[in-house]
Amino acid sequence: MSGQTESLEGEGSLAERAYDALSRLVLTRKLPGGSLVVEGRLAEQLEISRTPIREAILRLAAEGLLIKQGSRSYAVRRVQAVEFFQALKVRELIEGEAVELAIGRVPQPLLQAMRDEVVALGREEVQNEAHWEMDDRLHLLFPEALNNGVMVRIIRELRRATRLFELTSPSGRVARDAAEHLAILDAVLEGSVRRARAAMVTHLRNVAAEMLDVMSGRDAAAPKRRSRS
C-alpha cells in the first residue's frame, strides 16, 4: 500500500512540475501564440513522461491558455488587441479596488522587501523571468492580502490575457514599470488610499496608451520587449 501511495504522490508531483514548466513556457512567450503544443516534444524537452504532460495540457486548456486545435492537438491561445485593451480596462476597476482595500493589511516588511526588489530589477535594461515573476507577485499581492479568492482568480485570468498579447512593449517600459510600481508601493507604505488607487490606475492606463503608440507606429524604434503588466 505504501509503495502505491508513493507512486501516486510521484505522479502528482510530476504533473505539477509539468504544469509549472509548461505554463512558464507559455507566459514567458517561449511558446508564442498559435504554437502547437506537441506532447512528445515537450516530454523530451522537460524530461517528464507523457502522462503528466498530458495532464498539464488539459489543465492549461481548462484555464484558457491553450485551445483545441483539431481533434487531438492543442495550441497556445492568441489574444487580439481588443481583448488586451478590454482586459486592462477591467483590471483598472478591480485592481484599483484591491489596492485601496488592502491598505493596512499588507505587512510593512513585505512591502519594503518588494520595493527593494523593484528598485534592483529596474536597473536592468532587458526583461527576464525575474521581472515576470516579480510583476505577478506585486499585482496579486493586494487581492491576496484581502483573502478574496474570487478576486485573485479574476485578476490572474485577466493578467494572462494581457500577458499573451503578442505585440512588443514600447521602449523604456522596463524603467517606467519600475517607477510606476514604486509609486504604488510607496502609496501603500504611506497608507494613502487615494494615491494608491490612482497609482495603480495610472500604471495600467500608461501600459494601454503606450501599446497604442506602438500599434500606431509612434514607437517604431522600440526594442523587442513584451509588456509584463
Side-chain angles (χ1 to χ4, degrees), residues 194-225:
R194 183 185 60 80
R195 283 185 52 221
R197 186 176 196 125
M200 180 65 78
V201 170
T202 296
H203 168 51
L204 295 171
R205 286 182 180 176
N206 284 345
V207 171
E210 291 171 10
M211 293 303 279
L212 279 172
D213 285 343
V214 173
M215 293 172 70
S216 65
R218 289 193 291 270
D219 197 67
K224 297 292 183 180
R225 302 191 197 104

PDB file of all heavy atoms in Angstrom, residues 194-225:
ATOM      1  N   ARG A 194      -6.142  57.131  -1.502  1.00  0.00           N
ATOM      2  CA  ARG A 194      -6.365  57.844  -2.764  1.00  0.00           C
ATOM      3  C   ARG A 194      -5.168  57.695  -3.706  1.00  0.00           C
ATOM      4  O   ARG A 194      -5.330  57.409  -4.887  1.00  0.00           O
ATOM      5  CB  ARG A 194      -6.624  59.329  -2.478  1.00  0.00           C
ATOM      6  CG  ARG A 194      -6.944  60.160  -3.728  1.00  0.00           C
ATOM      7  CD  ARG A 194      -7.080  61.632  -3.389  1.00  0.00           C
ATOM      8  NE  ARG A 194      -5.863  62.171  -2.824  1.00  0.00           N
ATOM      9  CZ  ARG A 194      -4.792  62.531  -3.560  1.00  0.00           C
ATOM     10  NH1 ARG A 194      -4.811  62.389  -4.870  1.00  0.00           N
ATOM     11  NH2 ARG A 194      -3.717  63.018  -2.975  1.00  0.00           N
ATOM     12  N   ARG A 195      -3.957  57.889  -3.182  1.00  0.00           N
ATOM     13  CA  ARG A 195      -2.760  57.799  -4.020  1.00  0.00           C
ATOM     14  C   ARG A 195      -2.517  56.378  -4.509  1.00  0.00           C
ATOM     15  O   ARG A 195      -2.055  56.164  -5.640  1.00  0.00           O
ATOM     16  CB  ARG A 195      -1.539  58.303  -3.257  1.00  0.00           C
ATOM     17  CG  ARG A 195      -1.450  59.828  -3.169  1.00  0.00           C
ATOM     18  CD  ARG A 195      -0.153  60.256  -2.512  1.00  0.00           C
ATOM     19  NE  ARG A 195       0.987  59.631  -3.168  1.00  0.00           N
ATOM     20  CZ  ARG A 195       2.044  59.131  -2.524  1.00  0.00           C
ATOM     21  NH1 ARG A 195       2.107  59.175  -1.211  1.00  0.00           N
ATOM     22  NH2 ARG A 195       3.044  58.599  -3.197  1.00  0.00           N
ATOM     23  N   ALA A 196      -2.796  55.395  -3.671  1.00  0.00           N
ATOM     24  CA  ALA A 196      -2.566  54.003  -4.063  1.00  0.00           C
ATOM     25  C   ALA A 196      -3.453  53.613  -5.234  1.00  0.00           C
ATOM     26  O   ALA A 196      -2.989  53.032  -6.222  1.00  0.00           O
ATOM     27  CB  ALA A 196      -2.806  53.077  -2.879  1.00  0.00           C
ATOM     28  N   ARG A 197      -4.727  53.958  -5.129  1.00  0.00           N
ATOM     29  CA  ARG A 197      -5.652  53.624  -6.215  1.00  0.00           C
ATOM     30  C   ARG A 197      -5.268  54.376  -7.490  1.00  0.00           C
ATOM     31  O   ARG A 197      -5.242  53.792  -8.580  1.00  0.00           O
ATOM     32  CB  ARG A 197      -7.082  53.972  -5.822  1.00  0.00           C
ATOM     33  CG  ARG A 197      -8.100  53.508  -6.866  1.00  0.00           C
ATOM     34  CD  ARG A 197      -9.526  53.765  -6.431  1.00  0.00           C
ATOM     35  NE  ARG A 197     -10.425  52.978  -7.269  1.00  0.00           N
ATOM     36  CZ  ARG A 197     -11.322  52.136  -6.833  1.00  0.00           C
ATOM     37  NH1 ARG A 197     -11.450  51.909  -5.527  1.00  0.00           N
ATOM     38  NH2 ARG A 197     -12.103  51.474  -7.667  1.00  0.00           N
ATOM     39  N   ALA A 198      -4.949  55.667  -7.346  1.00  0.00           N
ATOM     40  CA  ALA A 198      -4.580  56.467  -8.514  1.00  0.00           C
ATOM     41  C   ALA A 198      -3.315  55.929  -9.170  1.00  0.00           C
ATOM     42  O   ALA A 198      -3.205  55.892 -10.404  1.00  0.00           O
ATOM     43  CB  ALA A 198      -4.387  57.925  -8.110  1.00  0.00           C
ATOM     44  N   ALA A 199      -2.343  55.490  -8.367  1.00  0.00           N
ATOM     45  CA  ALA A 199      -1.085  54.970  -8.916  1.00  0.00           C
ATOM     46  C   ALA A 199      -1.314  53.682  -9.691  1.00  0.00           C
ATOM     47  O   ALA A 199      -0.716  53.461 -10.756  1.00  0.00           O
ATOM     48  CB  ALA A 199      -0.078  54.743  -7.790  1.00  0.00           C
ATOM     49  N   MET A 200      -2.191  52.820  -9.180  1.00  0.00           N
ATOM     50  CA  MET A 200      -2.485  51.563  -9.880  1.00  0.00           C
ATOM     51  C   MET A 200      -3.191  51.848 -11.203  1.00  0.00           C
ATOM     52  O   MET A 200      -2.834  51.287 -12.257  1.00  0.00           O
ATOM     53  CB  MET A 200      -3.356  50.664  -9.011  1.00  0.00           C
ATOM     54  CG  MET A 200      -3.726  49.334  -9.661  1.00  0.00           C
ATOM     55  SD  MET A 200      -2.296  48.259  -9.962  1.00  0.00           S
ATOM     56  CE  MET A 200      -2.033  47.621  -8.285  1.00  0.00           C
ATOM     57  N   VAL A 201      -4.194  52.713 -11.174  1.00  0.00           N
ATOM     58  CA  VAL A 201      -4.944  53.031 -12.393  1.00  0.00           C
ATOM     59  C   VAL A 201      -4.041  53.716 -13.414  1.00  0.00           C
ATOM     60  O   VAL A 201      -4.076  53.400 -14.615  1.00  0.00           O
ATOM     61  CB  VAL A 201      -6.165  53.919 -12.061  1.00  0.00           C
ATOM     62  CG1 VAL A 201      -6.811  54.454 -13.333  1.00  0.00           C
ATOM     63  CG2 VAL A 201      -7.184  53.133 -11.232  1.00  0.00           C
ATOM     64  N   THR A 202      -3.207  54.648 -12.955  1.00  0.00           N
ATOM     65  CA  THR A 202      -2.272  55.341 -13.852  1.00  0.00           C
ATOM     66  C   THR A 202      -1.330  54.353 -14.518  1.00  0.00           C
ATOM     67  O   THR A 202      -1.064  54.438 -15.729  1.00  0.00           O
ATOM     68  CB  THR A 202      -1.468  56.391 -13.078  1.00  0.00           C
ATOM     69  OG1 THR A 202      -2.365  57.394 -12.589  1.00  0.00           O
ATOM     70  CG2 THR A 202      -0.414  57.047 -13.966  1.00  0.00           C
ATOM     71  N   HIS A 203      -0.823  53.406 -13.751  1.00  0.00           N
ATOM     72  CA  HIS A 203       0.091  52.393 -14.281  1.00  0.00           C
ATOM     73  C   HIS A 203      -0.559  51.606 -15.424  1.00  0.00           C
ATOM     74  O   HIS A 203       0.011  51.476 -16.514  1.00  0.00           O
ATOM     75  CB  HIS A 203       0.502  51.454 -13.153  1.00  0.00           C
ATOM     76  CG  HIS A 203       1.203  50.212 -13.594  1.00  0.00           C
ATOM     77  ND1 HIS A 203       2.297  50.214 -14.439  1.00  0.00           N
ATOM     78  CD2 HIS A 203       0.961  48.899 -13.312  1.00  0.00           C
ATOM     79  CE1 HIS A 203       2.705  48.975 -14.651  1.00  0.00           C
ATOM     80  NE2 HIS A 203       1.906  48.157 -13.989  1.00  0.00           N
ATOM     81  N   LEU A 204      -1.764  51.122 -15.200  1.00  0.00           N
ATOM     82  CA  LEU A 204      -2.437  50.315 -16.218  1.00  0.00           C
ATOM     83  C   LEU A 204      -2.832  51.154 -17.431  1.00  0.00           C
ATOM     84  O   LEU A 204      -2.756  50.681 -18.576  1.00  0.00           O
ATOM     85  CB  LEU A 204      -3.663  49.633 -15.607  1.00  0.00           C
ATOM     86  CG  LEU A 204      -3.328  48.602 -14.510  1.00  0.00           C
ATOM     87  CD1 LEU A 204      -4.586  48.141 -13.795  1.00  0.00           C
ATOM     88  CD2 LEU A 204      -2.582  47.407 -15.088  1.00  0.00           C
ATOM     89  N   ARG A 205      -3.226  52.404 -17.202  1.00  0.00           N
ATOM     90  CA  ARG A 205      -3.562  53.280 -18.329  1.00  0.00           C
ATOM     91  C   ARG A 205      -2.323  53.631 -19.148  1.00  0.00           C
ATOM     92  O   ARG A 205      -2.404  53.760 -20.375  1.00  0.00           O
ATOM     93  CB  ARG A 205      -4.244  54.546 -17.817  1.00  0.00           C
ATOM     94  CG  ARG A 205      -5.672  54.295 -17.356  1.00  0.00           C
ATOM     95  CD  ARG A 205      -6.371  55.550 -16.902  1.00  0.00           C
ATOM     96  NE  ARG A 205      -7.729  55.254 -16.483  1.00  0.00           N
ATOM     97  CZ  ARG A 205      -8.569  56.143 -15.955  1.00  0.00           C
ATOM     98  NH1 ARG A 205      -8.174  57.403 -15.787  1.00  0.00           N
ATOM     99  NH2 ARG A 205      -9.792  55.786 -15.597  1.00  0.00           N
ATOM    100  N   ASN A 206      -1.185  53.783 -18.486  1.00  0.00           N
ATOM    101  CA  ASN A 206       0.050  54.070 -19.209  1.00  0.00           C
ATOM    102  C   ASN A 206       0.435  52.904 -20.112  1.00  0.00           C
ATOM    103  O   ASN A 206       0.890  53.098 -21.248  1.00  0.00           O
ATOM    104  CB  ASN A 206       1.191  54.364 -18.231  1.00  0.00           C
ATOM    105  CG  ASN A 206       1.094  55.741 -17.619  1.00  0.00           C
ATOM    106  OD1 ASN A 206       0.349  56.599 -18.095  1.00  0.00           O
ATOM    107  ND2 ASN A 206       1.853  55.975 -16.561  1.00  0.00           N
ATOM    108  N   VAL A 207       0.274  51.680 -19.596  1.00  0.00           N
ATOM    109  CA  VAL A 207       0.569  50.497 -20.418  1.00  0.00           C
ATOM    110  C   VAL A 207      -0.308  50.505 -21.667  1.00  0.00           C
ATOM    111  O   VAL A 207       0.173  50.298 -22.788  1.00  0.00           O
ATOM    112  CB  VAL A 207       0.351  49.201 -19.607  1.00  0.00           C
ATOM    113  CG1 VAL A 207       0.438  47.974 -20.522  1.00  0.00           C
ATOM    114  CG2 VAL A 207       1.374  49.089 -18.487  1.00  0.00           C
ATOM    115  N   ALA A 208      -1.603  50.769 -21.492  1.00  0.00           N
ATOM    116  CA  ALA A 208      -2.523  50.786 -22.628  1.00  0.00           C
ATOM    117  C   ALA A 208      -2.157  51.881 -23.626  1.00  0.00           C
ATOM    118  O   ALA A 208      -2.113  51.646 -24.844  1.00  0.00           O
ATOM    119  CB  ALA A 208      -3.958  50.985 -22.136  1.00  0.00           C
ATOM    120  N   ALA A 209      -1.868  53.091 -23.120  1.00  0.00           N
ATOM    121  CA  ALA A 209      -1.546  54.210 -24.002  1.00  0.00           C
ATOM    122  C   ALA A 209      -0.268  53.955 -24.795  1.00  0.00           C
ATOM    123  O   ALA A 209      -0.195  54.255 -25.997  1.00  0.00           O
ATOM    124  CB  ALA A 209      -1.402  55.491 -23.182  1.00  0.00           C
ATOM    125  N   GLU A 210       0.720  53.385 -24.134  1.00  0.00           N
ATOM    126  CA  GLU A 210       1.993  53.136 -24.810  1.00  0.00           C
ATOM    127  C   GLU A 210       1.879  52.009 -25.836  1.00  0.00           C
ATOM    128  O   GLU A 210       2.540  52.042 -26.878  1.00  0.00           O
ATOM    129  CB  GLU A 210       3.073  52.849 -23.774  1.00  0.00           C
ATOM    130  CG  GLU A 210       3.417  54.105 -22.957  1.00  0.00           C
ATOM    131  CD  GLU A 210       4.327  53.820 -21.783  1.00  0.00           C
ATOM    132  OE1 GLU A 210       4.846  52.690 -21.698  1.00  0.00           O
ATOM    133  OE2 GLU A 210       4.521  54.726 -20.959  1.00  0.00           O
ATOM    134  N   MET A 211       1.040  51.035 -25.560  1.00  0.00           N
ATOM    135  CA  MET A 211       0.834  49.987 -26.553  1.00  0.00           C
ATOM    136  C   MET A 211       0.096  50.528 -27.774  1.00  0.00           C
ATOM    137  O   MET A 211       0.353  50.112 -28.904  1.00  0.00           O
ATOM    138  CB  MET A 211       0.072  48.819 -25.933  1.00  0.00           C
ATOM    139  CG  MET A 211       0.861  48.083 -24.860  1.00  0.00           C
ATOM    140  SD  MET A 211       2.453  47.431 -25.443  1.00  0.00           S
ATOM    141  CE  MET A 211       1.903  45.941 -26.247  1.00  0.00           C
ATOM    142  N   LEU A 212      -0.800  51.485 -27.558  1.00  0.00           N
ATOM    143  CA  LEU A 212      -1.454  52.153 -28.691  1.00  0.00           C
ATOM    144  C   LEU A 212      -0.425  52.897 -29.533  1.00  0.00           C
ATOM    145  O   LEU A 212      -0.519  52.921 -30.771  1.00  0.00           O
ATOM    146  CB  LEU A 212      -2.523  53.125 -28.188  1.00  0.00           C
ATOM    147  CG  LEU A 212      -3.871  52.512 -27.813  1.00  0.00           C
ATOM    148  CD1 LEU A 212      -4.755  53.571 -27.152  1.00  0.00           C
ATOM    149  CD2 LEU A 212      -4.574  51.920 -29.030  1.00  0.00           C
ATOM    150  N   ASP A 213       0.555  53.507 -28.876  1.00  0.00           N
ATOM    151  CA  ASP A 213       1.626  54.187 -29.608  1.00  0.00           C
ATOM    152  C   ASP A 213       2.395  53.209 -30.484  1.00  0.00           C
ATOM    153  O   ASP A 213       2.739  53.503 -31.637  1.00  0.00           O
ATOM    154  CB  ASP A 213       2.596  54.874 -28.638  1.00  0.00           C
ATOM    155  CG  ASP A 213       2.022  56.147 -28.047  1.00  0.00           C
ATOM    156  OD1 ASP A 213       1.033  56.665 -28.605  1.00  0.00           O
ATOM    157  OD2 ASP A 213       2.564  56.633 -27.041  1.00  0.00           O
ATOM    158  N   VAL A 214       2.690  52.028 -29.924  1.00  0.00           N
ATOM    159  CA  VAL A 214       3.408  51.006 -30.700  1.00  0.00           C
ATOM    160  C   VAL A 214       2.585  50.598 -31.917  1.00  0.00           C
ATOM    161  O   VAL A 214       3.090  50.498 -33.038  1.00  0.00           O
ATOM    162  CB  VAL A 214       3.718  49.773 -29.823  1.00  0.00           C
ATOM    163  CG1 VAL A 214       4.302  48.648 -30.675  1.00  0.00           C
ATOM    164  CG2 VAL A 214       4.695  50.136 -28.720  1.00  0.00           C
ATOM    165  N   MET A 215       1.285  50.377 -31.712  1.00  0.00           N
ATOM    166  CA  MET A 215       0.421  49.944 -32.804  1.00  0.00           C
ATOM    167  C   MET A 215       0.286  51.005 -33.887  1.00  0.00           C
ATOM    168  O   MET A 215       0.130  50.687 -35.066  1.00  0.00           O
ATOM    169  CB  MET A 215      -0.960  49.587 -32.248  1.00  0.00           C
ATOM    170  CG  MET A 215      -0.950  48.367 -31.342  1.00  0.00           C
ATOM    171  SD  MET A 215      -2.533  48.088 -30.525  1.00  0.00           S
ATOM    172  CE  MET A 215      -3.540  47.567 -31.907  1.00  0.00           C
ATOM    173  N   SER A 216       0.382  52.276 -33.499  1.00  0.00           N
ATOM    174  CA  SER A 216       0.251  53.359 -34.475  1.00  0.00           C
ATOM    175  C   SER A 216       1.585  53.719 -35.118  1.00  0.00           C
ATOM    176  O   SER A 216       1.646  54.581 -35.992  1.00  0.00           O
ATOM    177  CB  SER A 216      -0.336  54.601 -33.795  1.00  0.00           C
ATOM    178  OG  SER A 216       0.559  55.110 -32.825  1.00  0.00           O
ATOM    179  N   GLY A 217       2.678  53.060 -34.662  1.00  0.00           N
ATOM    180  CA  GLY A 217       3.988  53.322 -35.246  1.00  0.00           C
ATOM    181  C   GLY A 217       4.744  54.454 -34.607  1.00  0.00           C
ATOM    182  O   GLY A 217       5.819  54.825 -35.065  1.00  0.00           O
ATOM    183  N   ARG A 218       4.206  55.002 -33.507  1.00  0.00           N
ATOM    184  CA  ARG A 218       4.896  56.122 -32.860  1.00  0.00           C
ATOM    185  C   ARG A 218       6.061  55.676 -31.998  1.00  0.00           C
ATOM    186  O   ARG A 218       6.798  56.483 -31.484  1.00  0.00           O
ATOM    187  CB  ARG A 218       3.899  56.929 -32.013  1.00  0.00           C
ATOM    188  CG  ARG A 218       2.910  57.726 -32.855  1.00  0.00           C
ATOM    189  CD  ARG A 218       2.165  58.729 -31.999  1.00  0.00           C
ATOM    190  NE  ARG A 218       1.248  58.108 -31.070  1.00  0.00           N
ATOM    191  CZ  ARG A 218      -0.025  57.836 -31.340  1.00  0.00           C
ATOM    192  NH1 ARG A 218      -0.522  58.117 -32.546  1.00  0.00           N
ATOM    193  NH2 ARG A 218      -0.808  57.285 -30.439  1.00  0.00           N
ATOM    194  N   ASP A 219       6.215  54.369 -31.839  1.00  0.00           N
ATOM    195  CA  ASP A 219       7.342  53.849 -31.062  1.00  0.00           C
ATOM    196  C   ASP A 219       8.069  52.804 -31.891  1.00  0.00           C
ATOM    197  O   ASP A 219       8.399  51.730 -31.433  1.00  0.00           O
ATOM    198  CB  ASP A 219       6.854  53.241 -29.750  1.00  0.00           C
ATOM    199  CG  ASP A 219       7.985  53.065 -28.740  1.00  0.00           C
ATOM    200  OD1 ASP A 219       8.513  54.072 -28.275  1.00  0.00           O
ATOM    201  OD2 ASP A 219       8.322  51.913 -28.441  1.00  0.00           O
ATOM    202  N   ALA A 220       8.318  53.141 -33.145  1.00  0.00           N
ATOM    203  CA  ALA A 220       8.881  52.174 -34.098  1.00  0.00           C
ATOM    204  C   ALA A 220      10.268  51.715 -33.701  1.00  0.00           C
ATOM    205  O   ALA A 220      10.713  50.641 -34.107  1.00  0.00           O
ATOM    206  CB  ALA A 220       8.922  52.794 -35.494  1.00  0.00           C
ATOM    207  N   ALA A 221      10.991  52.524 -32.925  1.00  0.00           N
ATOM    208  CA  ALA A 221      12.361  52.166 -32.564  1.00  0.00           C
ATOM    209  C   ALA A 221      12.423  51.295 -31.321  1.00  0.00           C
ATOM    210  O   ALA A 221      13.488  50.991 -30.816  1.00  0.00           O
ATOM    211  CB  ALA A 221      13.182  53.440 -32.313  1.00  0.00           C
ATOM    212  N   ALA A 222      11.266  50.868 -30.809  1.00  0.00           N
ATOM    213  CA  ALA A 222      11.247  50.103 -29.562  1.00  0.00           C
ATOM    214  C   ALA A 222      11.963  48.776 -29.719  1.00  0.00           C
ATOM    215  O   ALA A 222      11.792  48.079 -30.709  1.00  0.00           O
ATOM    216  CB  ALA A 222       9.805  49.843 -29.130  1.00  0.00           C
ATOM    217  N   PRO A 223      12.787  48.392 -28.728  1.00  0.00           N
ATOM    218  CA  PRO A 223      13.391  47.067 -28.752  1.00  0.00           C
ATOM    219  C   PRO A 223      12.338  46.007 -28.508  1.00  0.00           C
ATOM    220  O   PRO A 223      11.243  46.297 -28.026  1.00  0.00           O
ATOM    221  CB  PRO A 223      14.393  47.115 -27.584  1.00  0.00           C
ATOM    222  CG  PRO A 223      13.854  48.158 -26.669  1.00  0.00           C
ATOM    223  CD  PRO A 223      13.170  49.166 -27.550  1.00  0.00           C
ATOM    224  N   LYS A 224      12.676  44.782 -28.819  1.00  0.00           N
ATOM    225  CA  LYS A 224      11.694  43.692 -28.724  1.00  0.00           C
ATOM    226  C   LYS A 224      11.534  43.238 -27.287  1.00  0.00           C
ATOM    227  O   LYS A 224      12.112  42.249 -26.853  1.00  0.00           O
ATOM    228  CB  LYS A 224      12.118  42.512 -29.619  1.00  0.00           C
ATOM    229  CG  LYS A 224      12.154  42.854 -31.082  1.00  0.00           C
ATOM    230  CD  LYS A 224      10.746  43.112 -31.615  1.00  0.00           C
ATOM    231  CE  LYS A 224      10.747  43.396 -33.100  1.00  0.00           C
ATOM    232  NZ  LYS A 224       9.435  43.652 -33.638  1.00  0.00           N
ATOM    233  N   ARG A 225      10.739  43.962 -26.544  1.00  0.00           N
ATOM    234  CA  ARG A 225      10.386  43.566 -25.183  1.00  0.00           C
ATOM    235  C   ARG A 225       8.876  43.488 -25.104  1.00  0.00           C
ATOM    236  O   ARG A 225       8.191  44.346 -25.628  1.00  0.00           O
ATOM    237  CB  ARG A 225      10.869  44.577 -24.132  1.00  0.00           C
ATOM    238  CG  ARG A 225      12.348  44.839 -24.117  1.00  0.00           C
ATOM    239  CD  ARG A 225      12.659  45.626 -22.858  1.00  0.00           C
ATOM    240  NE  ARG A 225      13.968  46.248 -22.954  1.00  0.00           N
ATOM    241  CZ  ARG A 225      14.165  47.532 -23.200  1.00  0.00           C
ATOM    242  NH1 ARG A 225      13.124  48.317 -23.411  1.00  0.00           N
ATOM    243  NH2 ARG A 225      15.381  48.031 -23.246  1.00  0.00           N
TER     244      ARG A 225
END
